C-alpha cells in the first residue's frame, strides 16, 4: 500500500463496526501475518499479559481435501512476537464478543479454541479473509489490494522506520534475513540514504537541522530513487515470470525454500 492508503485504511479499520473484520485486518496490517497463519490462530496463542502472539500452525485449503492444518512454511515461521497495544485491546474486545456469541448460539456452535470461525464454530476458510478485505476496501473507497499487500506494507514500514533487518525478518517469519533484504531491496535503499544523511549530520555543524528533517515517507522519493525502484520491480517481475510464479507470495516462499535448502547443505558439509 502507499503510505497514504495505509494510513487511511488503518483509520477505517479502527472505526469498523464488525469486531471480527477489525481484528483480522489489524492482524494482517500490524503483525504482518500470512493468511494461513491468521486462519490457524487459537486463543491459547495469545499472551494478553505479555502482549505477544505465537504462530505455531497454518491453515491451507487443498482441492479434494478441504482445509488442512499444517506446520508453518519454515522453521523460522514458528515465532512469538510483540504486538501493539491497539491490536491487543481489539483482540480482548473480540474475545469477549465471541464468548457472548457462543453463549447465544449454544450447542449449534462447535466448541473449540479458534480465533476465527464460521457461524457454526468450525474453522474459518482462509479465503474468507479476502472477501472481508475486499468489502472493507470498497466501503473505504480505497483501491484494490490483496491480503499479502498488507503483509508487505507492514514489512516495508518497519524497514522505513529503521527497524534492524534481522528483527524485521524474525517478525516476518523469513528463514533468513537475506530473504527479507532480497525482496525488500527497494525499501532498504531508501533507509541506506537516510543512514548516509545521518552520518553526514554527525560530522556537520548543522546536525540539529538534519535531525529536524521529517522521517522517510514511502511516497517521498527522488526521481532517481523512483527510477531505480521501478527498474528493481521490473527485474523482480521478470524473474517471477521466468520461474513461473504468478504471485509475489509464491516467489517469497521459493526464496525461503532456497535459503532453507542452502542452510541444510551447509549443516551437512560441516
Amino acid at each position: 500500500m502507499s503510505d497514504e492508503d495505509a494510513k487511511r485504511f488503518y483509520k477505517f479499520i479502527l472505526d469498523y463496526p464488525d469486531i471480527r473484520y477489525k481484528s483480522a485486518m489489524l492482524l494482517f496490517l500490524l503483525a504482518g501475518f500470512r493468511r494461513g497463519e491468521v486462519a490457524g490462530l487459537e486463543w491459547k496463542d495469545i499472551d494478553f499479559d505479555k502482549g505477544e502472539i505465537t504462530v505455531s500452525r497454518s491453515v491451507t485449503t487443498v482441492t479434494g481435501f478441504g482445509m488442512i492444518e499444517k506446520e508453518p512454511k519454515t522453521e523460522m515461521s514458528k515465532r512469538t512476537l510483540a504486538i501493539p497495544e491497539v491490536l491487543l485491546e481489539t483482540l480482548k474486545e473480540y474475545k469477549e464478543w465471541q464468548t457472548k456469541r457462543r453463549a447465544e448460539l449454544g450447542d449449534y456452535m462447535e466448541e473449540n479454541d479458534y480465533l476465527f470461525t464460521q457461524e457454526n464454530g468450525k474453522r474459518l476458510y482462509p479465503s474468507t479473509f479476502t472477501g472481508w478485505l475486499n468489502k472493507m476496501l470498497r466501503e473505504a473507497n480505497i483501491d484494490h489490494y490483496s491480503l499479502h499487500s498488507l503483509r508487505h506494507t507492514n514489512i516495508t514500514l518497519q524497514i522505513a522506520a529503521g527497524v534492524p533487518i534481522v528483527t524485521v525478518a524474525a517478525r516476518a517469519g523469513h528463514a533468513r534475513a537475506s530473504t527479507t533484504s532480497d525482496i525488500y531491496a527497494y525499501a532498504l535503499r531508501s533507509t541506506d540514504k537516510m543512514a548516509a544523511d545521518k552520518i553526514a549530520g554527525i560530522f556537520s555543524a548543522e546536525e540539529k537541522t538534519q535531525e529536524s528533517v521529517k522521517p522517510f515517507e514511502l511516497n517521498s522519493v527522488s526521481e532517481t530513487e523512483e527510477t531505480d525502484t521501478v527498474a528493481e520491480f521490473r527485474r523482480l517481475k521478470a524473474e517471477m515470470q521466468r520461474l513461473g510464479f504468478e504471485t509475489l507470495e509464491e516467489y517469497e516462499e521459493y526464496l525461503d525454500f532456497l535459503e532453507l535448502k542452502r542452510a541444510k547443505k551447509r549443516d551437512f558439509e560441516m
Side-chain angles (χ1 to χ4, degrees), residues 16 48 85 93 100 115 156 158 162 207 222 229 236 265:
Y16 205 71
F48 286 104
E85 186 67 24
E93 181 184 347
K100 291 179 181 178
L115 244 73
T156 302
Q158 287 183 69
E207 181 182 2
S222 68
T229 299
L236 177 61
K265 184 177 179 182

Side-chain angles (χ1 to χ4, degrees), residues 195-208 210-211:
D197 291 342
K198 189 65 178 177
I199 292 172
I202 292 174
F203 295 99
S204 170
E206 299 178 356
E207 181 182 2
K208 291 184 179 180
Q210 292 286 340
E211 291 180 345

Side-chain angles (χ1 to χ4, degrees), residues 43-59:
W43 287 111
K44 65 184 178 185
D45 300 322
I46 303 176
D47 190 324
F48 286 104
D49 294 328
K50 293 183 178 179
E52 296 177 341
I53 294 184
T54 297
V55 175
S56 57
R57 72 194 68 79
S58 182
V59 172

Side-chain angles (χ1 to χ4, degrees), residues 99-209:
T99 300
K100 291 179 181 178
R101 185 63 175 165
R102 285 184 178 279
E104 292 171 356
L105 295 178
D107 294 339
Y108 174 71
M109 197 169 186
E110 182 180 292
E111 192 66 35
N112 54 56
D113 197 41
Y114 304 154
L115 244 73
F116 296 100
T117 70
Q118 302 174 47
E119 189 70 7
N120 60 5
K122 295 184 181 298
R123 195 187 288 281
L124 195 72
Y125 281 90
S127 59
T128 303
F129 295 123
T130 300
W132 290 4
L133 173 62
N134 292 339
K135 180 176 184 293
M136 293 176 73
L137 289 174
R138 286 195 302 270
E139 293 175 359
N141 196 27
I142 296 175
D143 290 340
H144 173 74
Y145 290 98
S146 67
L147 286 171
H148 215 63
S149 296
L150 302 187
R151 171 174 164 81
H152 285 299
T153 299
N154 172 276
I155 295 172
T156 302
L157 289 177
Q158 287 183 69
I159 294 173
V163 177
I165 194 66
V166 174
T167 302
V168 176
R171 290 181 62 85
H174 287 157
R176 293 287 185 277
S178 59
T179 302
T180 311
S181 59
D182 286 345
I183 297 174
Y184 298 92
Y186 63 95
L188 287 168
R189 279 199 300 274
S190 299
T191 54
D192 181 58
K193 179 62 168 61
M194 289 172 58
D197 291 342
K198 189 65 178 177
I199 292 172
I202 292 174
F203 295 99
S204 170
E206 299 178 356
E207 181 182 2
K208 291 184 179 180
T209 302

